Amino acid sequence: MRGSALLLITVLTGVVTSAQGRGGAPPGRAGGPPTAPPSPRAAALADLTGQWVSLVTEDWRYRMFTAPKGDTVSVPLNPNGQKAATAWDPARDEAAGEQCKAFGAAGVMRMPGRLRVTWHDDTTLKIETDAGTQTRLLRFGAPMAPGALSAPPGEAGSWQGVSLASWEYPRASVAARGVGPGPGTGPPPGGTMKVVTTQMRPGYLRRNGVPYSANAVMTEYFDRLEVPGGDTLLVVAAEVADPEYLGTPYWTSMQFKRQNDASGWNPTPCAAR
Amino acid sequence: MTNVRASVYVCASVCVGLALISATLDGQQAAPGRPGAPPPAPVIDLSGYWTGVLHEDAYERGAGNEIADYGGFALNEAGRLWALSYDPSRVTLRHHQCEGYVAPYQMRSTGNFRIWEDRDPRTQRLMAINVYGQTTEGLRTVWMDGRPHPPAWAPHTARGFSTGRFVGNALVVQTTHIKQGWVRRNGLPGSDQTTMTDFFLRNGDRITNVTVANDPVFFSEPQVRSNDFVRQPVDHGAWLYACDDGEQILDRAPDYVPHYLFGKQPFAREFAQKYSLPLAASLMGAASIYPELSAQLRTANAGADADALFSPAPGRPSETSRAVNAEPRDGQVHILPIRNNVYMLAGDGGNIVVQTGDQGAFVVDTGEGKLSDKVLAAIRTLTPKPIQFIANTSFHAEHTGGNATLGAAGQDPSLPGSFFVQSAPRGVTGFFADPLSHATMMGHNNVTVRMQATGAPASTVPADTYLEERRRKFHNGDAIELFHQPNASTDGDSLIHFRGADVIVAGDIFTTTQYPFIDTKNGGTIQGLVRALNAILDRTVFRHQGEGGTYVVPGHGYLSDEHEVVEYRDMAVIVRDRVKAMVDAGATLPQIQAARLTADYDTRYGANAGPWTTAMFVQAVYDTLKVLPGAK
């Protein structure tokens, strides 16, 4: 009996909790006028904006230099991918005007360089890279199914492809808030930005021609971390799945350190070697 | 943990007995009581079976990198030179064979991982999160219950001592008390002064672990790295990593440590040549991490600049230690339980060891004597029995300074009516005449001789002495052995081994705070010191993966085990070999001093002022090789 009562209370509490919106009253209830959900920019729990410098502390030789052709160590290529990697010809890329193949979305985040992250508008986060002078637009608000968003003109088939972004909140935050984030409620900030990128122009995971195809799907998780008494870091954990060239998804994680100024920003053109 | 036991960390001052914090000798302290504290709400569940994904740095995490592949590491000069001096054959030495991975490298190791929670069975409060790595059977316990980190004089372990909290969607872990070890298996070092912050993030079946290791000894800035793990649906079934050491290469001299002299690393250019990289690129420390590297390489004189990186920069003053002082200087005496009935007392200069039991206390060394009243008060919290024996490892003042006070507070009930009392020569070892008002003091005969030569009062000089290699005594249920170490720090040093508790008291033969104190004016030599360090290693037995087991109490610094001793032994041998190479080549002492032969150790042990400087150490090595080449 006691257990049943507890269960009932628990269930009711859950119902009440889940019915609460931020600030207490859910949108469109309790007699108030309907309110629009906060924009992704307003809802952001993690401030990812600013200038960040890459810390090339892993895969150093592959990222700082161009490895020899066929050096594909640790990338889970399938036989097609291995074949394509050994056929790498930077002169051919230059002749074809494809010097940016290593600076597409699946490669550019691993380049030594700096990122400038800004809100392009309330629903689009923009990442500019000085390496290769590239721009990624991460659009919020659409379902996360690949291809569900109508790609803006020029993005589909581009080096940076089409990126759909969403906020992923810590479980405790969701539980405390009931439905999600909002100013002035819940626990301290901390949330992951998930980005799924599709429709990329075929490019390279590494500068030495390790390939990904137009069918590749890249899923990234962006986290801002505060080192106690130290730096602010941006960590990007990436997964590239490519049925054409990879046997299993390719997992990497990159770290960037936040700068307090704009020093070091040095836009450079793409280079094929 | 077989050695885990409730223990007490006492502030022995006017508040003796009031400040009690539970502790264990694995660097852990039990949680302070927090009645009513709400359980921390886990934001993420990390539990399960995981495997490290090796899509980055496959060589580092697999077969191992080439020598000089240090790109992406913020090595300072000391770290770079330490790594370039490294000979991979060092791991064939017995005491290096089973070393575990230190925390920053453990997270990058290949193999299986398992993560699980410990919860209080009554309250279900989250107490700890355990991260176990198959390779070297590395267990990290992340305490979530708010307990403090151990004091600076507590032991270090390969995985260190970790506490955690949830911040946002991450588990944030702080780790201290890490042993010296590798951060890459090509000899790239991480010091025992490393502290680490790491973050655990979970996205579906993926954990991303970001480590920020701060090593002031070998690195110029924090080293940030990330490691990915994929969840496995079932138990891997492979968790063990057995290791016992053995003879791998026979007939080596006991004082042989594989290493290369500065500038003589034969494989220093191999990595760059193999991959057609600029020679300097991987040796540039923090500069190698940032995008400006390529521009710097374009402007640098690559050949000359790279060559200069293989040896200590000339003309610089010696660096000094960046280590945390492991000796409390707060005017208090602190008790650290070691094992069974043996305790370390820190705070009055040199470390003091106390063994208790149904007989009187057996005390090894008495500190500087500035805090002797507090030392006595601390001992009285451990036993109501008087001090029966005091043994001195050395005649040096920081080990005998409290002899007068502690001796006078003791008594030796085994002596009244004995021959010793009847025949004791008054005025020299006068306390034998009245053993019920004085402890009996022991030591090698040279301790007594040296103290008498300084005019020390008779009541402070050991009367119960020995002349040859060994003195033994069974006391408080344990076998205690004193082993003379000829011509080590002095000519009268003793190692004192509590065999049952398996604790060795090293005196000035081994410290964690400074270069070896080789007192050449009183019989010390570098050869004897190396022999003495090896004598410790001849008696130690590690518990697991090269750590734990026999504890070694240093003359100064934090409680250690064989791992710290073997690193210290290696350092003594390597510096000796470097000095000897220059002596053999006809170099003068000023030339040797200018060569900065300790450059890779100075950020750990160096001093340019105080009672024992780097220059004094190098001169002592030189003197015993050049001036006293036949010294025992």
Side-chain angles (χ1 to χ4, degrees):
Chain A
M1 185 62 188
R2 184 183 174 205
S4 301
L6 278 174
L7 176 63
L8 180 61
I9 291 169
T10 303
V11 170
L12 289 175
T13 303
V15 169
V16 171
T17 302
S18 64
Q20 290 174 343
R22 60 190 178 88
R29 296 188 65 182
T35 56
S39 70
R41 181 177 186 173
L45 286 180
D47 179 9
L48 305 180
T49 63
Q51 180 164 311
W52 306 82
V53 59
S54 62
L55 302 174
V56 184
T57 58
E58 291 151 354
D59 268 1
W60 178 82
R61 178 165 65 82
Y62 297 103
R63 295 172 64 185
M64 281 294 189
F65 302 94
T66 302
K69 181 163 67 176
D71 186 348
T72 63
V73 168
S74 79
V75 182
L77 294 174
N78 62 20
N80 281 342
Q82 199 68 51
K83 185 177 175 183
T86 53
W88 173 56
D89 182 351
R92 185 180 59 206
D93 289 341
E94 289 166 348
E98 298 226 311
Q99 295 94 328
C100 286
K101 291 187 83 168
F103 295 82
V108 72
M109 301 296 281
R110 293 181 66 71
M111 290 288 177
R114 287 172 170 79
L115 310 178
R116 277 184 176 167
V117 183
T118 55
W119 283 98
H120 181 67
D121 56 39
D122 279 354
T123 61
T124 307
L125 195 68
K126 181 168 71 176
I127 298 177
E128 298 170 277
T129 71
D130 62 358
T133 318
Q134 299 292 305
T135 300
R136 300 184 64 191
L137 296 175
L138 317 179
R139 301 184 187 281
F140 286 81
M144 289 308 297
L149 178 73
S150 297
E155 290 186 21
S158 69
W159 296 123
Q160 305 309 324
V162 179
S163 295
L164 306 179
S166 62
W167 291 111
E168 300 223 323
Y169 302 105
R171 195 176 71 198
S173 296
V174 173
R177 292 163 188 277
V179 294
T185 64
T192 298
M193 182 177 71
K194 179 180 179 180
V195 178
V196 178
T197 300
T198 58
Q199 303 179 65
M200 291 179 282
R201 188 171 176 177
Y204 297 147
L205 298 168
R206 286 181 180 163
R207 278 191 278 211
N208 65 336
V210 179
Y212 63 88
S213 75
N215 293 323
V217 176
M218 180 169 69
T219 304
E220 297 164 286
Y221 300 93
F222 290 69
D223 283 279
R224 174 179 167 141
L225 305 174
E226 308 289 342
V227 182
D231 296 315
T232 298
L233 302 176
L234 173 66
V235 173
V236 183
E239 172 192 290
V240 179
D242 183 359
E244 189 166 340
Y245 288 135
L246 296 175
T248 63
Y250 175 51
W251 283 16
T252 57
S253 45
M254 290 69 73
Q255 43 273 356
F256 302 83
K257 184 165 72 174
R258 197 171 198 282
Q259 295 185 209
N260 294 322
D261 55 31
S263 62
W265 183 254
N266 180 31
T268 55
C270 297
R273 16 180 133 225
Chain B
M1 298 289 181
T2 56
N3 301 323
V4 172
R5 54 191 295 270
S7 56
V8 185
Y9 158 51
V10 180
C11 164
S13 61
V14 291
C15 59
V16 166
L18 296 180
L20 302 175
I21 302 173
S22 293
T24 77
L25 277 193
D26 295 307
Q28 301 166 0
Q29 296 184 339
R34 295 205 314 168
V43 174
I44 51 175
D45 177 19
L46 301 170
S47 305
Y49 307 115
W50 303 87
T51 298
V53 178
L54 307 185
H55 292 172
E56 297 173 279
D57 286 339
Y59 285 138
E60 172 184 311
R61 306 162 82 176
N65 299 68
E66 294 89 348
I67 294 290
D69 181 1
Y70 312 141
F73 286 89
L75 289 175
N76 60 20
E77 182 192 48
R80 184 182 72 249
L81 293 173
W82 202 102
L84 286 167
S85 172
Y86 181 73
D87 180 344
S89 185
R90 202 175 300 172
V91 296
T92 63
L93 298 181
R94 176 183 292 277
H95 295 89
H96 284 297
Q97 290 173 17
C98 290
E99 288 172 346
Y101 290 165
V102 292
Y105 187 72
Q106 180 79 49
M107 300 309 296
R108 291 185 75 69
S109 66
T110 187
N112 302 319
F113 281 78
R114 186 169 75 247
I115 302 179
W116 71 97
E117 296 179 344
D118 286 341
R119 291 185 179 253
D120 184 303
R122 294 165 300 157
T123 65
Q124 291 303 306
R125 179 182 174 212
L126 179 61
M127 303 298 291
I129 296 173
N130 300 283
V131 181
Y132 176 91
Q134 174 190 3
T135 307
T136 75
E137 297 178 0
L139 174 63
R140 295 184 69 193
T141 296
V142 180
W143 296 100
M144 302 295 294
D145 57 359
R147 69 183 60 195
H149 282 240
W153 50 95
H156 290 215
T157 61
R159 261 65 66 178
F161 182 90
S162 297
T163 56
R165 61 197 172 98
F166 292 105
V167 178
N169 56 343
L171 170 65
V172 183
V173 179
Q174 299 284 342
T175 301
T176 60
H177 294 76
I178 301 172
K179 283 189 182 294
Q180 177 163 336
W182 299 308
V183 292
R184 178 174 269 184
R185 293 202 327 281
N186 58 355
L188 218 155
S191 84
D192 65 345
Q193 300 300 302
T194 299
T195 57
M196 185 170 80
T197 301
D198 59 340
F199 302 83
F200 290 80
L201 303 158
R202 179 170 179 180
N203 291 293
D205 285 340
R206 174 178 185 161
I207 286 177
T208 299
N209 164 245
V210 182
T211 59
V212 184
N214 193 358
D215 179 0
V217 172
F218 292 131
F219 284 72
S220 61
E221 63 180 64
Q223 187 73 19
V224 183
R225 313 191 85 194
S226 54
N227 316 292
D228 293 302
F229 300 86
V230 61
R231 185 177 177 85
Q232 302 293 343
V234 296
D235 188 337
H236 306 81
W239 296 108
L240 299 177
Y241 195 87
C243 187
D244 277 319
D245 58 50
E247 302 88 350
Q248 294 197 357
I249 298 177
L250 302 179
D251 299 327
R252 279 173 162 168
D255 61 346
Y256 173 68
V257 175
H259 69 95
Y260 294 105
L261 301 176
F262 287 147
K264 302 295 185 185
Q265 169 60 259
F267 308 108
R269 298 166 190 274
E270 184 181 64
F271 171 67
Q273 290 170 349
K274 181 177 179 181
Y275 297 108
S276 301
L277 305 178
L279 185 57
S282 66
L283 305 172
M284 293 172 67
S288 73
I289 293 173
Y290 293 97
E292 288 75 13
L293 174 65
S294 59
Q296 293 188 25
L297 288 170
R298 279 195 296 272
T299 58
N301 180 346
D305 289 353
D307 285 340
L309 296 172
F310 294 142
S311 300
R316 281 194 200 170
S318 296
E319 299 279 353
T320 56
S321 174
R322 296 165 190 171
V324 171
N325 189 345
E327 297 188 293
R329 298 288 185 188
D330 57 358
Q332 309 300 334
V333 172
H334 303 263
I335 299 172
L336 187 67
I338 303 176
R339 184 181 286 129
N340 297 348
N341 53 341
V342 179
Y343 304 82
M344 183 175 107
L345 274 57
D348 190 16
N351 286 323
I352 298 168
V353 168
V354 179
Q355 182 225 35
T356 62
D358 55 1
Q359 297 176 277
F362 191 111
V363 175
V364 180
D365 287 340
T366 58
E368 289 180 347
K370 295 175 181 174
L371 301 177
S372 290
D373 291 341
K374 291 178 178 176
V375 171
L376 277 175
I379 293 172
R380 284 172 181 147
T381 68
L382 300 175
T383 175
K385 303 280 188 181
I387 298 169
Q388 186 170 348
F389 294 106
I390 295 172
N392 290 132
T393 60
S394 162
F395 85 96
H396 284 145
E398 69 267 30
H399 301 289
T400 58
N403 277 9
T405 304
L406 270 62
Q411 59 176 260
D412 184 355
S414 69
L415 288 178
S418 72
F419 168 82
F420 295 103
V421 175
Q422 304 299 328
S423 305
R426 290 177 181 276
V428 177
T429 53
F431 54 89
F432 264 169
D434 190 8
L436 288 179
S437 64
H438 208 287
T440 292
M441 291 196 280
M442 308 168 66
H444 188 268
N445 193 61
N446 287 345
V447 171
T448 297
V449 171
R450 297 284 180 191
M451 292 183 73
Q452 288 171 335
T454 64
S459 62
T460 67
V461 177
D464 187 350
T465 61
Y466 69 111
L467 291 168
E468 296 190 325
E469 71 273 13
R470 181 170 178 249
R471 171 82 159 86
R472 57 188 182 162
K473 193 163 199 65
F474 196 90
H475 191 69
N476 283 325
D478 200 353
I480 305 169
E481 293 179 288
L482 287 72
F483 296 99
H484 179 222
Q485 303 302 308
N487 305 102
S489 178
T490 68
D491 58 8
D493 303 307
S494 293
L495 297 174
I496 299 177
H497 191 184
F498 294 86
R499 288 192 350 189
D502 202 10
V503 174
I504 296 173
V505 190
D508 279 340
I509 290 167
F510 166 65
T511 80
T512 70
T513 56
Q514 63 180 22
Y515 282 120
F517 181 17
I518 300 171
D519 185 354
T520 55
K521 292 184 175 61
N522 290 295
T525 67
I526 182 67
Q527 297 98 320
L529 185 102
V530 171
R531 278 196 299 270
L533 290 165
N534 278 331
I536 297 173
L537 296 172
D538 287 342
R539 290 173 176 80
T540 57
V541 180
F542 69 78
R543 182 179 63 82
H544 180 253
Q545 303 293 344
E547 66 178 338
T550 308
Y551 279 110
V552 181
V553 180
H556 298 267
Y558 64 81
L559 182 60
S560 302
D561 58 32
E562 75 169 38
H563 180 86
E564 283 78 22
V565 178
V566 76
E567 293 290 352
Y568 200 72
R569 187 278 313 270
D570 290 357
M571 174 266 291
V573 168
I574 289 168
V575 173
R576 179 204 64 185
D577 290 353
R578 291 171 182 166
V579 174
K580 184 174 188 305
M582 289 195 72
V583 168
D584 290 347
T588 63
L589 179 59
Q591 289 172 323
I592 289 171
Q593 296 281 19
R596 300 181 59 220
L597 298 181
T598 55
D600 48 348
Y601 292 103
D602 287 344
T603 50
R604 178 62 183 83
Y605 298 110
N608 291 334
W612 190 241
T613 64
T614 302
M616 294 163 73
F617 168 59
V618 172
Q619 179 169 351
V621 175
Y622 172 86
D623 284 348
T624 59
L625 293 172
K626 177 72 173 178
V627 183
L628 303 168
K632 287 189 290 183

